[in-house]
Every structure is written in structure tokens, then in C-alpha cells.
Amino acid sequence: MSVKEQNLPKQAPWRSVLRSTSSALLWLVILLIVGGMYLAINAKATTAGRDVLRLSAALDNAKNQRNELQATLAELLSPGRMIEIVSSLGFRETLLKDIIYVPFEGAPRDDEFEANHSESSEEEGSIPISPAYRETLVDWIEGWLQKGESE
Amino acid sequence: MIATDRMQGRIWFVTGMMAVAMLAIVVQLVRVQFGTFAPIFATAAQIGKGIVEKVYPDRGQIFDRHGRLIATTTTAYYLEVEIRQLTIQSKKDIPIVLAELLELEADDLERQILIAEAGSDVVRTRLTQPAEDGRRFPILIDGNNKVVLTLLIEDEKGPDLSGLDLAPKQKRVYPSGPLTGHILGIVNQEGIGYFGVEGAYDDWLVGKPTEIQEVDIPLDVTSNPEPQAGSSLVLTIDLAIQYVAAQALDRAIQVTDADSGQVIVMDPRNGELLAIVAWPPLDPTQYDQWLIEGEEETPVIGPAVSGQFEPGSTFKVLVMAAALEENVVEPDDIFIDTGEIEIGGHVIRNWDGEAWGPQDMVGCLQYSLNVCLADVGANKLGAGRFYDALEAFGIGSLTNIDLDGEVSGKLRTHRDPYWTESDLGTNSFGQGVSVTPIQLITAVSAIANDGEMMQPHIVRQVVGPQGSYYPKPTLIGRPLSFETTDTLNEMLAEALIKEGSLALVSGYNLAGKTGTASIPTEYGYDPRQTIATFVGWGPMEDPRFIIFVRLDKPKTSPWGSVVAAPVFREVAERLVVLLEIPPVDVLQRIAGQVQGN
């Protein structure tokens, strides 16, 4: 050991211990923060996923119920059932002899039936989704730059 | 020094142990990946990811022309048992609960579960129930039973139903039941449509299935693509007219004790079918007995397009129309009916075997004289013009109606090597030629529609994901001129009035023709049984409907004029109300008022 080296001030051992401990603690804090964030996001995603599963099941159930109710209603309105109902109320079918024709210019006629599109054929893209779930960081930066240009 | 050697020895020992452990892990990894049991691990891994399932969209709905729902899809559920989830208690509770709820045999259910559990490779089994004929069918539940069972499965304090699962299955529902059975056809267990509209439009109705990966882990849930739903159809059928026709046919079957029958109502102006009914009726959800082949008396599904028959005298209107079109006869031409005529060595006689003396062409139609029409067909028209005319009417060809299962009928023309001249004589009064009801009504509709023959069709709107499509009325032929149809309409209307036909409706000018056809058997024509028919249309001023009636083997009377004509009248009387067609005197009054103004 040279004289110069001997004259250098020595670091107290507790300082290096403190430094390594604080460094380790810092990494631990960072790990905890990242881990906490990961868990929080994961918990939200899981909740959302569970909601999706629950709502999907509810939607399927509602569709089934709607179809069953439609079928029941159609069955109740079928000609045979309607004749039964009106007969029980004391009505009967209109016969030729019951009808008196009166000419009436511009008499309204029944509109022709037009069927609607089936609901389940809707494209998923047509369901409105908030930009909060669709906007990427790039989208946000682009929007921010465009906003700046327009100003 | 000794200590250092010992340390080195220990180091080598630990290194060796670690190497052995590492080698064991590598060997085990290779075994799992490529060994004998690799497929089992692969399946387990796949299950862990979630089952890839083919999802079928709801089959398209079907409406009548006024928007009344006549076919839709609901969900029914198979009862399945997941063997790995069974508990000792649930093996006892499941059979008891199901037997109580669905009125089934608990022992039978318990046996099914135990047999499935004993099978080494069975992980899931579908519960079945026995039918009367001994065959077994999967148990399907819906409605209240499904709701009750779901509540019981979810009830933690209730019976232990661990392992019991409800597997959804699409179920076709027909709210009008048998009323529209022969129009719609059937949809089998696999969801494939056969016959009728379900068969003809199966590709449209079924939609496009999509494969999705079922995920039960919430974190892995992603949005699955929706399968493209099947197109919905709006038919030209009017359910009210369908009901009226069905009621009239039912009554006729009861009164005449006929084996079967059909009524078809069509708009001759555009070929739209307003009603197609047949007896015996078909319940589209109970179709098994209709598919038994090889039995002679088995009725056909959709007889309007597949039920061939020899048309008999209704065919005479086509022969007379051809003769008038070719100017080989005039309505006032007199034919001396001697009671028989020989054509190609075959003697043809009238339906009553009598000679009717001098008759004009109206008389020939009114009394439906075979001898007269055989003379018109064979001697006046001749084979070339006769068969050309029939082919122009579409006899022997498909109409290409949008109903599945159409057959073309049989017409042997003079170009056929097996044709003989006697065929020409018999064909002239509707024998030796077979047609389908839809073929006959389409051909005759040309007479009602100023000579234009429109393609019969049953769908007026197809609603798919890309939008709506409206099939346009299609002209498929112009076999007659306006002058010919005008003359023939007057002749037929006059013949009906002179006959005092049971088809006449008070206040309306109608035209039509009866038919009484013998039934061919392998021993010749059956002398006791007939097919009674009537085809008529109206009102003459502007025909809005044409009705075909057919009764097979009526017992009370063999004649179409006695048993089929009243069915036509019954349907026509209701049709003029439903279609808001005023009587002729009202039309004349309105026309007079318009001229006066």
C-alpha cells in the first residue's frame, strides 16, 4: 500500500450498508408500485371479463325469452285461435250477405308488411364503444398535434 | 490439503446430482411432449384454453304477407351429465329430480349415469328417454321445465345436482302448427331444411356459423365474432286465406270421406301463391312418419309440387285453348257426338258411355265430353300442334317454383319412341299424362291472365344482413293470345252457368272446369275410385284469384262437379271478402257513376 492510498479518507462501513439497503428498498418500492398497478389493472380486467360473461349469458337468455314470447304471441294470434276467441265472444265470420259496398274515393289501403333485419346480424362495429377504450397513445398524440396545428 | 480435496469431492457430488436432476427433467419433458401419452396432455392443454365451438346463428324467421310470424327459432336444452363433476349425492339426486319434474323413470336415468361413469373414456353423457317403439331419443326441455331446473341447479340448499348441465340446441317453432306444414317443409335435428320453403331457402335461412373459443376465465375473455344471422322471409301466403282454404278442405274431407286433398289459391296476375293447403295436414315438428319410404299409401310432403296425378277433364280447358289459339275450332262449331271415337286403335267413350248428339264447343266443355275433346285434339289439332301447345303450357316441365321437392310430371309426346297415336286421343281428355297441382294451376292461369303465364312463387321479400331483396314476378310464357282467352273465358263461364254448377258464387262472374280422373293402377284404371278436381277463377272482369281443388278417392260421389266444385265456392265466397272484391253489380254501378261524372 502506497503512502497516498494510506492517506485517503476511509468510508465508514455503516454508510455502504445504508446505501445498499436504501438501493434495495428503492427497487422494492418500484416493484411494489408496478406490482400494485399490475394487480389493480388485472382486477379491473377480470371484473370486466366476468361482467362480459354475465352479460353475454343474460343477452342470450333475453334473446331466447324474446323468441319464445314472439312464438307464443304468434300462436295466440294464429287464425285458428283468433276464430276460437271471437266465437267465444259471440262474433262470427263476415259473410258475403253481410257486406254493403260503399264507393269511397281515396279509401286507405293496408300498408304492405316489410320485415326488419334480424338483430343478431348486426355488425359488432355498429355498437358504440367509448373512445376511452379505443384511443391508443398514438391516436392521442396525433389528435394533440392536429389540435395544435388548427390553433 | 485434505480439506480442499473433500470440498472438491462435495462440489462434484452436488454438480452430479444437479446434472442427473436436469437430465430427468429433460427426459420427462420429451416424454410429455412426444411420448405415448402426448395426445392426452395436448387435449388437457386445449381444454385449459377453452373449447373451440361452432356457433350457429338463429335460423331466419318466416312471415306471411301481412307480417304474421309462421316460423321462428327458440332454444331447447339437452340434459347432459359431466361425469367428473358427479358426487355421490348428485348421482342419487339427479335421477330423482328429473324423474319428478319430467315424469321419467328414475331407475332408467340412474342406469344411464352409472353406465357412463363406468366407461373409462366417457367424460360427458347426454340423457335419453325411450319412445313407444323402443328407440331412444335425447331428452329435450324448454319453457317452465328449463326455468325450474336452472333454479334447482343454482340453489345451494336444494338437491345436489352437481354434474347436471343444460346443453342448448336450436329448436324450430311453427306458431300456426299444421296449417302451414306443407308450405314450410321440415328442419331436421341437424338444423337442415327439407321440402317446402325450409328446403328451398335453406342456404339463406341458416346464416353463417362461426367458430369461437369458449373461455371461462374472466381475464381471458375477448369479444367473439357474432355469426351472421340467417335471412328472414316474407311469403306471399295470406294466413287468413290459408285458414279459410284449410277449413273448406277439412269439411270436404269429412263430408266426402276422401283419402286426401289439396287446395291452392294463386293470384294469376303475378303468380303469387296466396294459400296452399293439403290433407292430411303435416305438423312440421312431428315429421318422422312422413319420411317412411316404401309404403305405397304414404302421403307426400308438399303434394302441391310433388303429388303427380292424371288431371282428367280439367285438362280439357288446355286442349280447347290450344284448338282456339290455332283457329281449328270456333265456339259455335257443332260436333256430332256418337258416344265413341277410335284413335290409334283405341276406342274412347264418354264418361257416361252415352252419345250426346250435336254439341257446340261450349256443350263439349259443359258436359265434359271425352269423345268431342279427343276429336279436337287428335283430328283438329294433330300431334304436332297438340304437344307443342302443351309444352308451351309447361306440361311435363318444372315450373321452378321456389318450393323444394318439385317434380315435373310426365308427358309422352309424339317425339318419344314409345308414343302411340292412341296417346294423343287419351291425352286430349287428360288421361295418360300426369301433372302436379302447381303445374296445372300455372298452365290454366294463362287463361285467366290474358294469355300470360306467370311463374308461381311463394317468397316476396328476403331480408338479409345486406338488405332486402324482392323477387319480381316473372313471365314464363305467353301460350295464348288475348282474343283466345277472351273467347275461352266466355265459353267456360257460360258452361258453368248452363250447368248450374255448385261452384257459382252469387253476384260474381266466375269461370272454371271440373275434372274427374280415373286412377291408374298396375292392372289398368281403377273403375271404383277417382280423383275429383276443380279449377276456377274470377272475377271475370279482372281475375284476382285462381283456385285449384283436388280430392283423392272421395266416397260419397266420384264426380268433381259434386264434391270439388262446392269447395271452390266455399273458398271463393270467403276470398272475395278477404280480398275486398265487390260484386259485379257494384262494379257496374261505380263504372256508371264514373261515366256520369
Side-chain angles (χ1 to χ4, degrees):
Chain A
M1 191 180 288
S2 64
V3 178
K4 272 187 180 177
E5 280 175 346
Q6 281 178 350
N7 293 334
L8 280 173
K10 279 190 180 172
Q11 191 176 40
W14 61 269
R15 277 182 179 275
S16 63
V17 170
L18 187 67
R19 199 167 58 191
S20 53
T21 305
S22 58
S23 170
L25 278 175
L26 181 66
W27 283 112
L28 186 66
V29 168
I30 291 169
L31 189 70
L32 283 174
I33 291 169
V34 172
M37 285 168 68
Y38 172 78
L39 286 176
I41 291 167
N42 236 11
K44 281 187 178 175
T46 307
T47 309
R50 205 173 53 210
D51 285 348
V52 168
L53 286 175
R54 186 174 50 78
L55 290 171
S56 297
L59 185 66
D60 287 345
N61 202 25
K63 277 182 184 172
N64 287 342
Q65 283 182 352
R66 181 201 59 189
N67 288 347
E68 277 171 17
L69 287 172
Q70 267 186 338
T72 307
L73 183 65
E75 198 269 328
L76 288 171
L77 295 175
S78 64
R81 291 293 293 268
M82 290 296 280
I83 293 284
E84 273 177 30
I85 294 166
V86 296
S87 300
S88 69
L89 293 172
F91 293 95
R92 65 164 173 79
E93 295 168 21
T94 311
L95 302 175
L96 257 180
K97 62 181 182 187
D98 303 323
I99 298 171
I100 300 167
Y101 283 90
V102 181
F104 176 54
E105 204 175 326
R109 297 195 64 84
D110 290 344
D111 289 337
E112 290 201 328
F113 171 71
E114 295 276 332
N116 292 322
H117 292 243
S118 179
E119 278 179 28
S120 51
S121 67
E122 278 178 7
E123 293 296 319
E124 201 164 313
S126 65
I127 301 167
I129 299 172
S130 164
Y133 300 104
R134 289 187 286 115
E135 191 182 73
T136 63
L137 184 62
V138 177
D139 292 338
W140 177 76
I141 292 169
E142 277 178 1
W144 184 70
L145 289 172
Q146 280 171 5
K147 198 177 167 187
E149 280 173 13
S150 62
E151 281 173 0
Chain B
M1 191 68 193
I2 293 167
T4 308
D5 286 346
R6 194 178 289 168
M7 193 171 282
Q8 272 191 343
R10 282 177 186 165
I11 288 168
W12 280 114
F13 176 75
V14 171
T15 308
M17 289 299 289
M18 285 176 73
V20 169
M22 194 63 73
L23 188 68
I25 290 169
V26 170
V27 169
Q28 188 65 0
L29 278 174
V30 171
R31 260 168 42 79
V32 168
Q33 201 69 25
F34 305 106
T36 320
F37 302 111
I40 294 172
F41 297 122
T43 309
Q46 197 62 36
I47 291 168
K49 282 184 195 168
I51 299 164
V52 175
E53 198 183 26
K54 204 167 194 180
V55 177
Y56 291 88
D58 281 352
R59 197 174 169 86
Q61 294 180 314
I62 303 176
F63 301 89
D64 89 330
R65 66 185 301 129
H66 298 300
R68 300 181 190 103
L69 188 64
I70 52 178
T72 188
T73 304
T74 60
T75 306
Y77 298 85
Y78 288 122
L79 292 180
E80 294 186 345
V81 174
E82 180 75 42
I83 303 297
R84 292 169 300 188
Q85 291 176 11
L86 282 171
T87 62
I88 295 169
Q89 189 59 41
S90 74
K91 277 186 248 176
K92 293 174 189 164
D93 286 359
I94 290 172
I96 293 168
V97 169
L98 294 181
E100 190 71 24
L101 186 67
L102 307 173
E103 294 177 3
L104 299 168
E105 291 281 329
D107 293 345
D108 180 47
L109 295 167
E110 192 173 3
R111 203 176 307 120
Q112 289 180 55
I113 294 170
L114 292 176
I115 289 170
E117 197 185 21
S120 58
D121 54 347
V122 179
V123 291
R124 197 177 179 88
T125 187
R126 184 169 290 173
L127 298 175
T128 60
Q129 61 181 328
E132 282 177 11
D133 60 0
R135 287 185 293 171
R136 299 194 71 89
F137 292 97
I139 303 169
L140 262 179
I141 62 162
D142 57 5
N144 289 338
N145 284 339
K146 186 256 170 183
V147 174
V148 172
L149 206 52
T150 308
L151 289 172
L152 285 172
I153 289 171
E154 289 169 356
D155 185 5
E156 289 176 6
K157 293 175 185 168
D160 183 3
L161 300 180
S162 309
L164 184 63
D165 194 19
L166 305 180
K169 178 200 179 295
Q170 282 192 6
K171 180 187 166 194
R172 201 68 167 150
V173 178
Y174 302 95
S176 299
L179 182 61
T180 50
H182 284 288
I183 295 172
L184 297 175
I186 59 172
V187 176
N188 71 1
Q189 293 278 328
E190 284 78 41
I192 302 168
Y194 292 97
F195 306 105
V197 174
E198 297 277 23
Y201 286 88
D202 189 51
D203 290 345
W204 297 63
L205 287 163
V206 78
K208 282 187 184 163
T210 306
E211 280 195 348
I212 62 159
Q213 190 142 26
E214 262 194 4
V215 177
D216 294 328
I217 303 166
L219 197 58
D220 293 345
V221 169
T222 53
S223 62
N224 282 315
E226 277 277 308
Q228 186 177 304
S231 301
S232 291
L233 304 176
V234 180
L235 304 187
T236 58
I237 294 294
D238 183 326
L239 214 50
I241 298 174
Q242 180 81 5
Y243 180 75
V244 163
Q247 289 291 299
L249 182 61
D250 278 359
R251 270 193 284 273
I253 294 283
Q254 281 172 21
V255 169
T256 65
D257 197 20
D259 281 7
S260 53
Q262 290 131 45
V263 175
I264 302 174
V265 184
M266 189 168 96
D267 186 337
R269 299 169 303 174
N270 50 26
E272 287 187 353
L273 288 153
L274 302 173
I276 302 177
V277 295
W279 206 95
L282 163 70
D283 183 344
T285 57
Q286 307 285 331
Y287 55 80
D288 280 0
Q289 62 191 22
W290 290 79
L291 302 179
I292 301 166
E293 290 178 1
E295 290 187 22
E296 202 177 308
E297 297 298 323
T298 304
V300 294
I301 296 176
V305 295
S306 57
Q308 301 180 75
F309 70 110
E310 291 201 1
S313 298
T314 42
F315 207 65
K316 288 171 184 164
V317 292
L318 301 182
V319 178
M320 185 60 77
L324 290 168
E325 182 71 12
E326 295 292 336
N327 291 316
V328 295
V329 294
E330 294 286 333
D332 298 332
D333 285 357
I334 299 297
F335 173 75
I336 311 293
D337 184 8
T338 58
E340 62 178 44
I341 187 171
E342 185 183 326
I343 295 169
H346 182 72
V347 178
I348 291 165
R349 294 187 176 82
N350 286 323
W351 53 271
D352 59 352
E354 299 293 322
W356 286 73
Q359 295 289 339
D360 62 9
M361 292 300 120
V362 176
C364 286
L365 289 174
Q366 180 186 336
Y367 302 119
S368 202
L369 302 178
N370 295 345
V371 174
C372 175
L373 267 296
D375 178 65
V376 169
N379 300 332
K380 302 279 194 327
L381 272 171
R385 287 187 290 195
F386 180 86
Y387 288 110
D388 284 349
L390 291 189
E391 283 174 344
F393 278 117
I395 304 300
S397 313
L398 298 173
T399 65
N400 290 318
I401 185 176
D402 47 352
L403 285 173
D404 192 33
E406 186 186 14
V407 297
S408 62
K410 282 178 194 151
L411 174 68
R412 195 161 58 192
T413 71
H414 60 300
R415 289 179 283 271
D416 190 300
Y418 298 103
W419 178 85
T420 62
E421 204 182 339
S422 66
D423 285 338
L424 181 58
T426 52
N427 290 169
S428 299
F429 60 95
Q431 227 176 46
V433 54
S434 67
V435 297
T436 61
I438 203 71
Q439 231 173 23
L440 188 64
I441 197 172
T442 304
V444 177
S445 72
I447 302 167
N449 192 39
D450 298 340
E452 292 187 342
M453 203 163 68
M454 306 303 290
Q455 185 170 53
H457 64 280
I458 200 153
V459 169
R460 55 185 292 267
Q461 188 191 0
V462 182
V463 190
Q466 282 82 37
S468 292
Y469 160 66
Y470 300 86
K472 295 248 179 338
T474 308
L475 180 70
I476 52 172
R478 201 187 299 269
L480 302 171
S481 65
F482 172 75
E483 291 73 24
T484 301
T485 57
D486 202 33
T487 306
L488 188 57
N489 273 311
E490 279 181 24
M491 289 169 71
L492 289 166
E494 189 184 338
L496 273 192
I497 293 166
K498 279 185 176 173
E499 185 192 340
S501 172
L502 295 172
L504 292 170
V505 176
S506 174
Y508 292 86
N509 290 329
L510 304 171
K513 180 75 187 81
T514 56
T516 305
S518 302
I519 300 173
T521 67
E522 54 186 309
Y523 308 109
Y525 284 94
D526 188 332
R528 296 158 302 160
Q529 294 178 318
T530 61
I531 294 176
T533 53
F534 189 93
V535 60
W537 56 95
M540 297 295 293
E541 297 72 26
D542 177 25
R544 298 264 306 274
F545 59 83
I546 177 165
I547 303 170
F548 168 82
V549 179
R550 168 183 170 181
L551 293 171
D552 296 338
K553 302 178 185 174
K555 307 295 184 298
T556 52
S557 166
W559 308 112
S561 56
V562 178
V563 293
V567 181
F568 169 84
R569 187 191 59 217
E570 191 177 342
V571 177
E573 275 180 346
R574 297 287 303 138
L575 256 185
V576 293
V577 175
L578 292 168
L579 296 177
E580 298 177 12
I581 303 171
V584 66
D585 62 324
V586 174
L587 286 174
Q588 284 168 349
R589 210 166 56 229
I590 295 168
Q593 283 174 357
V594 171
Q595 279 178 351
N597 291 337

